[in-house]
């Protein structure tokens, strides 16, 4: 088959791109290939699915008629196995040949699966897609106790689902505290506290070296020799970019696929976005892996405009997470902890169940954390994203009544206007001839 | 796209917009009942910001390029194709609050009872939103212009 636009991956990035393309080009053939046999669903919601709080229909990311309405050909349950970039062709496992003019790799990540003795036993799972959630669900039966390896976002997310299903859960985290890549020490401890109150046991500073049992997991052995029993094991130590398709091509791959500020790879007709790429981070001012949903969608949107011939520059993204596990609301963005040098200024405020922190570098916000009271976090994140010098009002950033009214007048006036196409205009284009897209 | 603009020099910071918004989004539509008796307590979708002599209300700007929509994990936050309004589908919202972090105006808030985000809906069924009608100093206007003036 032949298509103008081929998108591999039917999730945040793929849908973001498809929607942008259809905003400017309603006619040309647009095809999405998906290894998963489903219409796009919200990946973070697989824990709600496992908890029994949401059905599959309730975690769909778009209405059922989305593909039809947008004139998109979805090829579900089809895995692309090979790319020929010079011939602009993709091949799928079942032998389908797809010729494309513009290609987007929105293929996401693979769960990292460490070499642990016994990890091939029944009852050992990863947790990154709907089929994982279904497999865990089928296995639960009379199981009572789970060990979750990894205290990051995915580990805590599946822990909550299992607790809601009545499980006893032990979280084994290699570093000294859970959620250590996105939170600072204090916020991690606050999260740990609510997990413990919910009955979760946390074993920090240790790893699992062996999964015990005959055919089925019956327990684990830790690196200190201690053993514990369990009925299932969840391996949730993170995802790594799924760059396999790029590997036998000339596409540049570092830790992830390398893209420029237009989400283009080093091949002029091939774009990439989401968990599989190293894209620009506006805090670190460098390309990094940032595996979060909003960045995948926004990256897809930028790629989509560029693929459809509207040159559009990515303002960049940064780590940004809003966690609500076990009833505590936590937001973090940018750097969770300031590097240990004089260039950084840290302001923080803690009360019994709330905590606010802002990290500044040369009066620009480089990181923020809010626990409990998170309503103002968007205003602070906006200042960070728009690279606004906060020197004149930084003393009020953590005030209870902080808000736009504390900004310099010109700035709050701008926020109160009809906002322009923020995403596409927030970075002034440096290259000449670059158009700025201002909506339909 | 119509949205509510403020003439901040006319805003006296009284907060009546907030009160009437809350009333409009109550079950009873009765001022005393809405504030004293209703559970869950109705919540306002506009709030007044004050800093010494400056005050103005904030509500959703219904952005052309809405960060909240692009950041929504579930697909609940979306742009209506005809009206161009930014709307949240309460059935789909799980209260993850990612949109709250995405909104540079702080125009969204949490409904902790229903675990869904709440925002300005321009008062469906009314030609002029309650905040605009009830502003005692005509500081709020509903306009389709791209600028406030
Ligand atoms: C349990 C869990 C909780 C999470 N919680 C949050 C959260 O709270 N907030 C947040 O921001 N992010 C969260 N994330 C991360 C978020 O889901 C990802 O960042 C996001 O899904 C990345 O989107 P993507 O489009 O890049 O790739 P993915 O969502 O990974 O989708 C890629 C798709 O491409 C398909 N694919 C890959 N290779 C091929 C091929 N060769 N042929 C055909 N199809 C292929 C895959 O099957 C997959 O369907 C969570 C993730 C998990 C697993």
């Amino acid at each position: 088959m032949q298509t103008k636009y081929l998108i591999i991956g039917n999730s945040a990035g793929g849908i973001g791109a498809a929607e942008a393309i259809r905003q400017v080009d309603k006619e040309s053939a647009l095809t999405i290939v998906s290894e998963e046999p489903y219409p796009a669903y919200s990946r973070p919601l697989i824990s709600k699915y496992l908890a029994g709080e949401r059905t599959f229909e309730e975690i769909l990311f778009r209405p059922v008629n989305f593909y039809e309405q947008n004139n998109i050909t979805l090829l579900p349950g089809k895995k692309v196995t090979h790319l020929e970039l010079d011939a602009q062709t993709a091949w799928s496992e079942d032998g389908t040949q797809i010729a494309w003019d513009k290609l987007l790799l929105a293929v996401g990540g693979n769960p990292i699966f460490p070499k642990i003795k016994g990890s091939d036993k029944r009852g050992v799972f990863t947790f990154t897609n709907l089929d994982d959630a279904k497999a865990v669900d089928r296995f639960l039966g009379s199981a009572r106790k789970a060990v979750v390896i990894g205290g990051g976002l995915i580990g805590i997310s599946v822990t909550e689902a299992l607790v809601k299903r009545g499980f006893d859960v032990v979280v084994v985290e290699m570093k000294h505290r859970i959620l250590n890549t996105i939170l600072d020490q204090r916020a991690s401890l606050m999260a740990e506290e609510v997990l413990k109150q919910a009955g979760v046991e946390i074993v920090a500073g240790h790893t699992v070296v062996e999964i015990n049992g005959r055919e089925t997991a019956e327990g684990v052995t830790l690196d200190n020799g201690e053993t514990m029993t369990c009925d299932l094991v969840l391996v949730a130590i993170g995802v790594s970019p799924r760059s396999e398709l790029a590997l036998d091509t000339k596409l540049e791959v570092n830790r992830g696929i390398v893209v420029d500020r237009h989400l283009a790879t080093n091949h002029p007709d091939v774009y990439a976005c989401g968990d599989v790429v190293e894209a620009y981070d506006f805090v670190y001012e460098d390309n990094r892996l940032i595996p979060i949903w909003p960045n995948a969608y926004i990256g897809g949107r930028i790629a989509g405009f560029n693929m459809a011939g509207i040159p559009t520059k990515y303002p960049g993204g940064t780590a940004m997470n809003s966690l609500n596990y076990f009833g505590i609301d936590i937001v973090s963005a940018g750097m969770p902890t300031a590097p240990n040098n004089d260039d950084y200024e840290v302001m923080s405020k803690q009360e019994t169940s709330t905590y606010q922190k802002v990290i500044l570098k040369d009066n620009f916000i480089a990181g923020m954390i809010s626990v409990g009271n998170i309503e103002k976090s968007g205003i602070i994140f906006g200042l960070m994203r728009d690279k606004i010098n906060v020197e004149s009002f930084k003393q009020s950033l953590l005030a209870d009544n902080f808000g736009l009214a504390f900004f310099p007048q010109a700035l709050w006036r701008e926020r109160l206007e009809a906002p322009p196409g923020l995403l596409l205009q927030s970075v002034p284009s440096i290259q000449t001839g670059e158009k700025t897209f201002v909506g339909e | 796209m119509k949205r509510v603009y403020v003439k901040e020099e006319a805003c006296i910071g009284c907060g009546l917009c907030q009160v009437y918004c809350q009333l409009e989004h109550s079950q009873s539509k009765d001022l005393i009942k809405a504030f004293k008796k209703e559970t869950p307590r109705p919540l306002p979708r506009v709030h007044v910001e004050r800093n010494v002599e400056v005050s103005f209300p904030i509500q959703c700007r219904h952005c052309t390029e809405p960060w909240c929509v692009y950041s929504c994990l579930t697909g609940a936050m979306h742009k209506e194709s005809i009206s161009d309004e930014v709307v949240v589908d309460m059935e789909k919202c799980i209260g993850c609050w990612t949109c709250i972090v995405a909104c540079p105006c702080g125009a969204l808030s949490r409904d902790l009872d229903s675990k869904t985000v709440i925002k300005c809906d321009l008062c469906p069924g009314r030609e002029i939103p309650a905040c605009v009608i009830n502003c005692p100093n005509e500081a709020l206007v509903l306009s389709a212009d791209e600028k406030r003036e």
Side-chain angles (χ1 to χ4, degrees):
Chain A
M1 66 182 284
Q2 169 91 37
T3 187
K4 172 149 189 204
Y5 307 103
L6 177 64
I7 296 174
I8 308 179
N10 179 38
S11 186
I15 299 297
E19 290 183 339
I21 291 170
R22 279 296 178 247
Q23 200 171 321
V24 292
D25 178 356
K26 298 213 172 1
E27 300 302 323
S28 311
L30 167 48
T31 306
I32 303 183
V33 200
S34 168
E35 183 181 15
E36 293 188 78
Y38 310 110
Y41 62 88
S42 169
R43 192 168 308 287
L45 263 57
I46 61 173
S47 59
K48 305 272 176 202
Y49 177 89
L50 178 60
E53 293 177 344
R54 299 258 154 169
T55 62
F56 173 63
E57 285 70 32
E58 289 167 343
I59 67 168
L60 287 180
F61 187 50
R62 289 294 181 255
V64 271
N65 59 358
F66 171 80
Y67 300 93
E68 197 189 311
Q69 239 176 22
N70 288 286
N71 186 21
I72 296 170
T73 306
L74 174 68
L75 305 177
K78 216 185 250 300
K79 181 180 175 180
V80 174
T81 47
H82 181 62
L83 297 176
E84 269 178 35
L85 296 189
D86 293 337
Q88 314 229 145
T89 305
W91 302 81
S92 75
E93 207 161 33
D94 60 6
T96 315
Q97 179 186 350
I98 310 170
W100 44 266
D101 293 343
K102 301 280 174 191
L103 172 69
L104 176 69
L105 299 171
V107 290
N110 266 332
I112 300 171
F113 203 87
K115 288 191 185 69
I116 301 176
K117 229 163 105 189
S119 59
D120 54 348
K121 293 192 201 316
R122 282 189 69 236
V124 181
F125 301 93
T126 54
F127 195 68
T128 57
N129 61 38
L130 184 63
D131 285 345
D132 292 336
K134 286 184 173 175
V136 175
D137 183 56
R138 274 194 303 269
F139 184 81
L140 291 187
S142 60
R144 297 288 328 140
K145 187 172 173 190
V147 167
V148 173
I149 305 176
L153 183 72
I154 297 177
I156 301 307
S157 156
V158 70
T159 297
E160 186 186 52
L162 291 168
V163 168
K164 284 179 178 161
R165 293 284 295 261
F167 270 71
D168 291 333
V169 184
V170 181
V171 176
V172 181
E173 166 57 49
M174 180 174 72
K175 300 265 178 64
H176 288 281
R177 53 188 176 86
I178 59 166
L179 298 166
N180 53 68
T181 57
I182 50 178
L183 299 183
D184 67 357
Q185 173 106 16
R186 183 161 287 171
S188 278
L189 290 178
M190 292 173 89
E192 259 175 49
E193 201 47 48
V194 292
L195 260 82
K196 285 180 186 157
Q197 274 164 24
V200 176
E201 188 185 333
I202 295 166
V203 178
H206 289 289
T207 53
V208 168
V209 292
E210 184 166 358
I211 295 168
N212 308 320
R214 282 189 203 120
E215 259 127 62
T216 305
E218 290 168 19
V220 300
T221 305
L222 301 181
D223 54 0
N224 59 1
E226 203 178 299
T227 60
M228 51 180 88
T229 59
C230 65
D231 309 305
L232 79 156
V233 176
L234 265 299
V235 180
I237 57 175
V239 292
S240 64
R242 198 169 163 183
S243 38
E244 63 212 23
L245 276 177
L247 291 183
D248 54 359
T249 67
K250 288 189 185 121
L251 292 180
E252 193 187 337
V253 181
N254 194 14
R255 286 176 67 203
I257 297 175
V258 178
V259 289
D260 66 14
R261 293 290 292 272
H262 295 76
L263 279 302
T265 66
N266 57 332
H267 186 293
D269 297 312
V270 181
Y271 293 76
C273 67
D275 284 9
V276 77
V277 298
E278 279 177 18
Y280 185 70
D281 183 314
F282 58 72
V283 169
Y284 291 88
E285 296 181 330
D286 201 359
N287 279 28
R288 299 178 72 221
L289 299 171
I290 311 167
I292 61 165
W293 186 272
N295 289 5
Y297 184 89
I298 293 166
R301 189 168 172 80
I302 300 288
F305 283 132
N306 285 307
M307 290 163 76
I310 309 287
T312 307
K313 193 168 172 183
Y314 183 44
T318 196
M320 179 268 241
N321 280 285
S322 175
L323 317 177
N324 343 83
Y325 302 113
F326 298 97
I328 186 173
D329 290 333
I330 305 181
V331 165
S332 91
M335 300 179 175
T337 318
N340 220 345
N341 69 47
D342 291 347
D343 294 348
Y344 293 87
E345 180 183 353
V346 179
M347 303 191 295
S348 70
K349 183 168 106 175
Q350 187 177 27
E351 275 150 36
T352 335
S353 56
T354 63
Y355 172 47
Q356 320 284 334
K357 179 171 98 170
V358 176
I359 299 174
L360 301 173
K361 187 187 183 213
D362 303 329
N363 294 312
F364 290 91
I365 300 174
M368 62 165 293
I369 291 179
S370 295
V371 182
N373 187 353
I374 58 129
E375 242 96 12
K376 305 287 170 61
S377 56
I379 299 181
I380 298 191
F381 186 61
L383 293 167
M384 184 164 157
R385 182 173 48 206
D386 293 348
K387 290 216 175 284
I388 289 172
N389 187 321
V390 300
E391 187 171 14
S392 66
F393 58 103
K394 69 181 174 189
Q395 297 316 331
S396 50
L397 287 173
L398 298 182
D400 287 339
N401 60 345
F402 174 68
L404 300 190
F406 289 81
F407 287 13
Q409 192 187 54
L411 189 56
W412 61 250
R413 274 179 178 269
E414 193 188 301
R415 288 280 198 262
L416 293 177
E417 295 288 345
L422 277 177
L423 179 57
L424 304 168
Q425 294 185 339
S426 57
V427 175
S429 54
I430 307 161
Q431 279 129 304
T432 48
E434 181 143 26
K435 272 182 267 169
T436 311
F437 185 71
V438 278
E440 293 209 88
Chain B
M1 164 74 229
K2 281 192 179 164
R3 41 170 92 71
V4 177
Y5 290 95
V6 58
K7 294 182 254 167
E8 72 281 349
E9 64 288 350
C11 176
I12 57 171
C14 66
L16 279 177
C17 49
Q18 198 169 315
V19 169
Y20 280 95
C21 177
Q22 204 160 341
L23 179 65
E24 180 69 17
H25 294 93
S26 68
Q27 301 283 322
S28 61
K29 313 267 161 163
D30 174 293
L31 197 59
I32 309 298
K33 276 191 199 138
F35 283 78
K36 290 286 182 197
K37 302 225 171 77
E38 247 178 64
T39 41
R41 200 160 179 248
L43 296 169
R45 286 102 201 278
V46 52
H47 67 268
V48 179
E49 296 226 350
R50 302 180 182 88
N51 179 22
V52 202
E53 75 277 24
V54 182
S55 67
F56 48 80
I58 294 282
Q59 63 277 82
C60 175
R61 309 316 302 139
H62 299 280
C63 301
T64 314
E65 291 278 350
W67 290 110
C68 59
V69 172
Y70 302 155
S71 301
C72 179
L73 302 186
T74 67
M77 197 67 89
H78 62 282
K79 213 149 205 226
E80 286 288 327
S81 49
I82 297 164
S83 69
D84 233 18
E85 274 170 52
V86 174
V87 175
V88 57
D89 177 346
M90 301 296 212
E91 298 286 300
K92 294 198 86 174
C93 179
I94 56 156
C96 76
W97 322 132
T98 309
C99 54
I100 292 183
V101 194
C103 174
C105 293
L108 307 173
S109 44
R110 295 177 291 174
D111 181 341
L112 293 170
D113 287 309
S114 66
K115 278 280 269 167
T116 53
V117 72
I118 49 167
K119 65 182 294 297
C120 166
D121 55 9
L122 294 167
C123 293
R126 270 187 187 265
E127 213 163 301
I128 313 279
C131 57
V132 175
I133 291 185
N134 291 291
C135 177
N137 205 25
E138 295 179 2
L140 288 169
V141 283
L142 180 72
S143 163
D145 296 343
E146 289 296 303
K147 290 268 176 226
R148 287 182 294 165
E149 269 85 28

